[in-house]
């Protein structure tokens, strides 16, 4: 039995070596490494997710860009950010203007297929809602018949809005404005009765743009599923893998209890899973086509998913984890095995 196990282990090791040695860099990976930074498309301004109001880009979506840069270059600051409207984002990715998109983008079938894109995971589970002024006296979205509704074009939000009103036999007047900052300003200036987008975006708008946030209320209805995540082009599996596993590494670290503060101590862990994850036991970096300390660099420089969520979403917007909690805490965040 010992001889058999030894042979099997050796065969597995040989197989891993062959696979790792056979990894071929795709065009995007080569271009990214050649230019020395990741070109990442983000929102024009959505505090909590992507904002440069403090003088440097920050937010949950920004941290995904930084994680990928840390995995590839060992430097989370090796990112060039391109602010994009909803209407601009896919063209920018398809044309090669950016290497990846991390901009509160909903994973849908048509985007994943006919647009030639790949979603590399979900970094925020959201749902569409409605924001109104309290003095309207509205307590339910079913009371919005005839309302003027501010919405961004080219979004699932726009499509869901039409579906919801049609399904409930109501009419509405669309006020369509492309830029997130401008559509938010239009709502708070009274140009429309309702602002609709993902509930995370509504919380961000109310917290940051309202003169008095308590004058506004998010209605209870959640009218859609909005799994938001980073996106890459079809055709470069190695780049797709790097973006996907960079995001998953942030979740895996939280599951292991590895943080930016204790990751150095964790290098001495005797847990074989942690040893593989942090590159103490080599193999995962080679399989991914990056250095063995790729995950260590992500956690040391960006933090685990919980740290990123608390820093950007909880502290800035006051939103609890909800569906974005780890699976073992009742949420949907779940990292696939890194082995």
């Amino acid at each position: 039995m010992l001889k058999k196990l030894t042979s099997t282990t050796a065969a597995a090791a040989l197989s891993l070596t062959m696979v790792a040695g056979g990894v071929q860099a795709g065009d995007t990976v080569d271009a990214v490494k050649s230019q020395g930074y990741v070109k990442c498309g983000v929102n024009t301004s959505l505090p909590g997710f992507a904002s440069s109001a403090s003088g440097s880009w920050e937010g949950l979506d920004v941290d995904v860009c930084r994680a990928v840069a840390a995995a590839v270059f060992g430097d989370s600051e090796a990112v060039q950010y391109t602010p994009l409207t909803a209407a601009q984002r896919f063209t920018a990715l398809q044309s090669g203007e950016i290497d990846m998109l991390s901009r509160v983008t909903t994973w849908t079938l048509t985007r994943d297929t006919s647009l030639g894109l790949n979603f590399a995971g979900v970094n925020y589970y959201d749902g569409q809602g409605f924001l109104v002024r309290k003095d309207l006296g509205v307590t339910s979205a079913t009371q919005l018949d005839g309302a003027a509704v501010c919405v961004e074009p080219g979004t699932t939000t726009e499509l869901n809005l039409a579906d919801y009103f049609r399904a409930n036999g109501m009419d509405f007047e669309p006020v369509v404005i492309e830029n997130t900052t401008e559509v938010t300003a239009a709502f708070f200036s009274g140009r429309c009765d309702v602002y609709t987008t993902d509930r995370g975006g509504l919380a961000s708008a109310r917290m940051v743009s309202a003169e008095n946030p308590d004058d506004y209320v998010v209605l209870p209805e959640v009218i859609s599923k909005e799994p938001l995540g980073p996106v890459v082009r079809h055709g470069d599996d190695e780049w797709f893998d790097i973006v996907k596993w960079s995001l998953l590494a942030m979740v895996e670290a939280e599951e292991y209890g590895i943080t930016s503060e204790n990751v150095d101590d964790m290098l001495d862990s005797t847990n074989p899973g942690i040893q593989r994850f942090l590159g103490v036991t080599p193999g995962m970096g080679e399989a991914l086509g990056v250095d063995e300390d790729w995950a260590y660099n992500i956690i040391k420089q960006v933090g685990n998913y919980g740290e990123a969520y608390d820093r950007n979403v909880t502290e800035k917007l006051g939103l609890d984890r909800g569906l974005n909690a780890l699976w073992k805490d009742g949420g949907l965040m779940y990292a696939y095995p890194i082995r």
Side-chain angles (χ1 to χ4, degrees):
M1 180 64 75
L2 178 61
K3 182 177 181 180
K4 182 178 180 181
L5 283 175
T6 302
S7 299
T8 303
T9 303
L14 177 60
S15 175
L16 177 60
T17 301
M18 292 175 66
V19 170
V23 169
Q24 297 295 318
D27 292 343
T28 304
V29 178
D30 287 341
V32 167
K33 290 182 176 178
S34 176
Q35 70 202 9
Y37 54 86
V38 178
K39 295 186 293 188
C40 195
V42 295
N43 203 297
T44 52
S45 183
L46 188 64
F49 296 89
S51 171
S52 60
S54 64
S56 59
W57 284 98
E58 60 182 23
L60 191 66
D61 289 343
V62 168
D63 279 347
V64 175
C65 306
R66 297 177 62 224
V68 173
V72 176
F73 298 107
D75 179 5
S76 65
E77 300 306 308
V79 184
Q80 179 189 80
Y81 298 100
T82 301
L84 298 166
T85 67
Q88 295 170 331
R89 56 186 165 176
F90 298 130
T91 301
L93 183 58
Q94 292 162 334
S95 68
E97 178 183 349
I98 56 175
D99 304 313
M100 60 177 287
L101 178 69
S102 186
R103 187 201 177 282
V104 286
T105 298
T106 303
W107 188 343
T108 72
L109 184 150
T110 52
R111 290 172 176 175
D112 203 15
T113 54
S114 57
L115 285 186
L117 307 177
N118 278 331
F119 282 78
V122 176
N123 72 322
Y124 193 82
Y125 288 95
D126 209 339
Q128 184 174 339
F130 301 96
L131 181 67
V132 300
R133 297 190 312 275
K134 280 184 179 177
D135 61 13
L136 286 180
V138 173
T139 57
S140 167
T142 59
Q143 300 171 307
L144 295 177
D145 188 21
V149 183
C150 279
V151 63
E152 288 184 72
T155 60
T156 54
T157 303
E158 186 181 26
L159 303 175
N160 296 334
L161 171 66
D163 285 351
Y164 181 78
F165 274 72
R166 186 181 303 116
N168 285 279
M170 300 188 299
D171 295 320
F172 70 99
E173 176 190 345
V175 180
V176 180
I177 302 173
E178 183 172 321
N179 186 286
T180 301
T181 302
E182 293 176 2
V183 72
T184 302
F187 170 70
F188 288 110
S189 69
R191 188 172 166 188
C192 41
D193 306 308
V194 184
Y195 177 32
T196 185
T197 189
D198 299 340
R199 288 167 68 89
L202 296 179
S204 175
R206 181 172 62 173
M207 183 69 68
V208 175
S209 303
E211 185 173 346
N212 183 4
D214 290 337
D215 289 344
Y216 299 86
V217 61
V218 177
L219 298 178
E221 286 84 358
V222 181
I223 69 168
S224 69
K225 296 183 292 184
E226 304 292 339
L228 313 176
V231 194
V232 298
R233 288 180 294 277
H234 276 171
D236 190 332
D237 287 349
E238 189 187 5
W239 181 240
F240 176 46
D241 287 342
I242 290 172
V243 175
K244 173 174 56 184
W245 287 101
S246 294
L247 172 59
L248 289 172
M250 297 176 71
V251 180
E252 180 84 332
E254 186 178 12
E255 292 185 7
Y256 275 131
I258 306 172
T259 70
S260 57
E261 298 296 324
N262 69 14
V263 65
D264 287 310
D265 295 333
M266 286 293 189
L267 291 171
D268 296 325
S269 171
T270 57
N271 183 321
I274 293 176
Q275 290 178 338
R276 277 193 302 273
F277 178 59
L278 294 179
V280 176
T281 302
M284 300 302 100
E286 184 178 8
L288 198 56
V290 295
D291 291 341
E292 294 296 346
D293 57 357
W294 65 282
Y296 168 86
N297 288 328
I298 291 173
I299 307 312
K300 181 68 176 179
Q301 299 178 32
V302 184
N304 67 35
Y305 179 79
E307 289 181 283
Y309 190 98
D310 291 344
R311 178 171 65 238
N312 295 301
V313 181
T314 302
E315 292 179 10
K316 287 187 170 55
L317 307 181
L319 298 177
D320 60 24
R321 292 288 292 269
L323 293 177
N324 297 291
L326 294 179
W327 61 277
K328 61 185 181 181
D329 298 325
L332 298 177
M333 283 296 169
Y334 181 100
Y336 309 143
I338 295 180
R339 66 176 309 142

